[in-house]
Coordinates of all heavy atoms in Angstrom, one line a residue:
A1 N -3.3 3.3 6.6 CA -4.7 3.2 6.2 C -4.9 3.5 4.7 O -5.6 2.9 4.0 CB -5.6 4.1 7.0
L2 N -4.2 4.6 4.2 CA -4.3 4.9 2.8 C -3.7 3.9 1.9 O -4.3 3.5 0.9 CB -3.6 6.3 2.6 CG -4.3 7.5 3.2 CD1 -3.4 8.7 3.0 CD2 -5.6 7.7 2.6
A3 N -2.6 3.3 2.3 CA -1.9 2.3 1.5 C -2.9 1.1 1.4 O -3.0 0.5 0.4 CB -0.6 1.9 2.2
A4 N -3.5 0.7 2.5 CA -4.5 -0.4 2.5 C -5.7 -0.1 1.7 O -6.3 -1.0 1.0 CB -4.9 -0.8 4.0
Y5 N -6.2 1.2 1.7 CA -7.3 1.6 0.9 C -7.0 1.3 -0.6 O -7.8 0.9 -1.3 CB -7.7 3.0 1.1 CG -9.1 3.4 0.7 CD1 -10.2 3.4 1.6 CD2 -9.4 3.6 -0.7 CE1 -11.5 3.7 1.1 CE2 -10.6 3.9 -1.1 CZ -11.7 3.9 -0.2 OH -13.0 4.2 -0.7
N6 N -5.8 1.6 -0.9 CA -5.3 1.4 -2.3 C -4.9 0.0 -2.7 O -5.4 -0.5 -3.7 CB -4.2 2.3 -2.6 CG -3.7 2.2 -4.0 OD1 -2.7 1.5 -4.3 ND2 -4.3 2.9 -5.0
A7 N -4.2 -0.7 -1.8 CA -3.6 -2.0 -2.2 C -4.2 -3.1 -1.4 O -4.0 -4.3 -1.7 CB -2.1 -2.0 -1.9
G8 N -5.0 -2.8 -0.4 CA -5.6 -3.9 0.5 C -4.8 -4.1 1.7 O -3.6 -4.0 1.7
E9 N -5.5 -4.4 2.8 CA -4.8 -4.5 4.1 C -3.9 -5.7 4.1 O -2.9 -5.7 4.8 CB -5.8 -4.5 5.3 CG -6.8 -5.6 5.3 CD -8.1 -5.2 4.7 OE1 -8.3 -4.3 4.0 OE2 -9.1 -5.9 5.1
K10 N -4.2 -6.8 3.3 CA -3.3 -7.9 3.3 C -1.9 -7.6 2.7 O -0.9 -8.1 3.2 CB -3.9 -9.1 2.5 CG -5.1 -9.7 3.2 CD -5.7 -10.8 2.3 CE -6.9 -11.4 3.1 NZ -7.7 -12.2 2.2
A11 N -1.9 -6.7 1.7 CA -0.6 -6.3 1.2 C 0.2 -5.4 2.2 O 1.4 -5.6 2.3 CB -0.8 -5.5 -0.1
V12 N -0.5 -4.5 2.9 CA 0.2 -3.7 3.9 C 0.7 -4.6 5.0 O 1.9 -4.4 5.5 CB -0.8 -2.6 4.4 CG1 -0.1 -1.9 5.6 CG2 -1.1 -1.7 3.3
D13 N -0.1 -5.6 5.5 CA 0.4 -6.5 6.5 C 1.6 -7.3 6.0 O 2.6 -7.5 6.8 CB -0.7 -7.3 7.0 CG -1.8 -6.6 7.9 OD1 -1.5 -5.4 8.2 OD2 -2.8 -7.2 8.2
R14 N 1.5 -7.8 4.8 CA 2.6 -8.7 4.3 C 3.9 -7.9 4.2 O 4.9 -8.5 4.5 CB 2.2 -9.2 2.9 CG 3.2 -10.1 2.3 CD 2.7 -10.8 1.0 NE 2.2 -9.9 0.0 CZ 0.9 -9.8 -0.4 NH1 0.0 -10.7 0.2 NH2 0.4 -9.0 -1.3
Y15 N 3.8 -6.7 3.8 CA 5.1 -5.9 3.6 C 5.4 -5.1 4.9 O 6.4 -4.4 4.9 CB 4.9 -4.9 2.5 CG 5.0 -5.6 1.1 CD1 3.9 -5.9 0.4 CD2 6.3 -6.1 0.6 CE1 4.0 -6.5 -0.8 CE2 6.4 -6.7 -0.6 CZ 5.2 -7.0 -1.3 OH 5.3 -7.6 -2.5
L16 N 4.7 -5.3 6.0 CA 4.9 -4.6 7.2 C 5.0 -3.1 7.0 O 5.8 -2.4 7.6 CB 6.2 -5.1 7.9 CG 6.2 -6.6 8.2 CD1 7.5 -7.0 8.8 CD2 5.1 -7.0 9.2
G17 N 4.1 -2.6 6.2 CA 4.1 -1.1 5.9 C 3.6 -0.9 4.5 O 2.9 -1.8 3.9
V18 N 3.8 0.3 4.0 CA 3.4 0.7 2.6 C 4.1 -0.3 1.7 O 5.3 -0.4 1.6 CB 3.7 2.1 2.3 CG1 3.3 2.5 0.9 CG2 3.0 3.1 3.3
P19 N 3.3 -1.0 0.8 CA 3.9 -1.9 -0.1 C 4.8 -1.2 -1.1 O 4.5 0.0 -1.4 CB 2.7 -2.6 -0.8 CG 1.5 -2.3 0.1 CD 1.8 -1.0 0.8
P20 N 5.7 -1.9 -1.7 CA 6.6 -1.3 -2.7 C 6.0 -1.1 -4.1 O 6.7 -1.2 -5.1 CB 7.8 -2.2 -2.7 CG 7.2 -3.6 -2.4 CD 6.0 -3.3 -1.5
Y21 N 4.7 -0.9 -4.2 CA 4.1 -0.7 -5.5 C 4.1 0.8 -5.8 O 3.7 1.6 -5.0 CB 2.6 -1.1 -5.4 CG 2.3 -2.5 -4.8 CD1 1.2 -2.7 -4.1 CD2 3.2 -3.5 -5.0 CE1 0.9 -3.9 -3.6 CE2 2.9 -4.8 -4.4 CZ 1.8 -5.0 -3.7 OH 1.5 -6.2 -3.2
A22 N 4.6 1.2 -7.0 CA 4.7 2.6 -7.4 C 3.4 3.3 -7.2 O 3.3 4.4 -6.7 CB 5.3 2.7 -8.8
E23 N 2.3 2.6 -7.7 CA 1.0 3.2 -7.7 C 0.6 3.6 -6.2 O 0.1 4.7 -5.9 CB -0.1 2.3 -8.3 CG -1.5 2.8 -8.2 CD -2.5 1.8 -8.5 OE1 -2.3 0.9 -9.4 OE2 -3.6 1.9 -8.0
T24 N 0.8 2.6 -5.3 CA 0.4 2.8 -3.9 C 1.2 3.9 -3.3 O 0.7 4.7 -2.6 CB 0.5 1.5 -3.2 OG1 -0.4 0.5 -3.8 CG2 0.0 1.6 -1.7
R25 N 2.5 3.9 -3.5 CA 3.4 4.9 -2.9 C 3.0 6.3 -3.4 O 3.0 7.2 -2.6 CB 4.8 4.6 -3.2 CG 5.2 3.3 -2.4 CD 6.7 3.0 -2.6 NE 7.0 1.8 -1.7 CZ 7.8 1.8 -0.7 NH1 8.4 2.9 -0.3 NH2 7.9 0.7 0.0
M26 N 2.7 6.4 -4.7 CA 2.3 7.7 -5.2 C 1.0 8.1 -4.7 O 0.7 9.3 -4.3 CB 2.3 7.7 -6.7 CG 2.0 9.1 -7.4 SD 3.2 10.3 -6.9 CE 4.6 9.7 -7.8
Y27 N 0.0 7.2 -4.6 CA -1.3 7.5 -4.0 C -1.2 8.0 -2.6 O -1.8 9.0 -2.2 CB -2.1 6.1 -4.0 CG -3.4 6.1 -3.4 CD1 -4.5 6.4 -4.2 CD2 -3.6 5.8 -2.1 CE1 -5.8 6.3 -3.6 CE2 -4.8 5.7 -1.5 CZ -6.0 6.0 -2.3 OH -7.2 6.0 -1.7
V28 N -0.4 7.3 -1.8 CA -0.2 7.8 -0.4 C 0.4 9.1 -0.3 O 0.0 10.0 0.4 CB 0.6 6.7 0.4 CG1 1.0 7.3 1.8 CG2 -0.2 5.4 0.6
R29 N 1.5 9.3 -1.1 CA 2.2 10.6 -1.1 C 1.2 11.8 -1.5 O 1.3 12.8 -0.9 CB 3.3 10.5 -2.1 CG 4.4 11.5 -1.8 CD 5.7 11.3 -2.7 NE 6.2 9.9 -2.5 CZ 6.5 9.1 -3.5 NH1 6.4 9.4 -4.8 NH2 7.0 7.9 -3.2

């Protein structure tokens, strides 16, 4: 949910999880 809030649910669905974007990974962490 957090990854999608940052990167969008389409990106999370496309990558089958937290997308490999540094910004999104740091945001979630």
Side-chain angles (χ1 to χ4, degrees):
L2 292 172
Y5 197 98
N6 180 263
E9 61 264 22
K10 288 179 183 168
V12 173
D13 286 354
R14 181 174 48 249
Y15 286 103
L16 301 177
V18 178
Y21 312 146
E23 174 192 329
T24 301
R25 290 182 179 247
M26 186 59 68
Y27 175 90
V28 170
R29 203 172 301 130

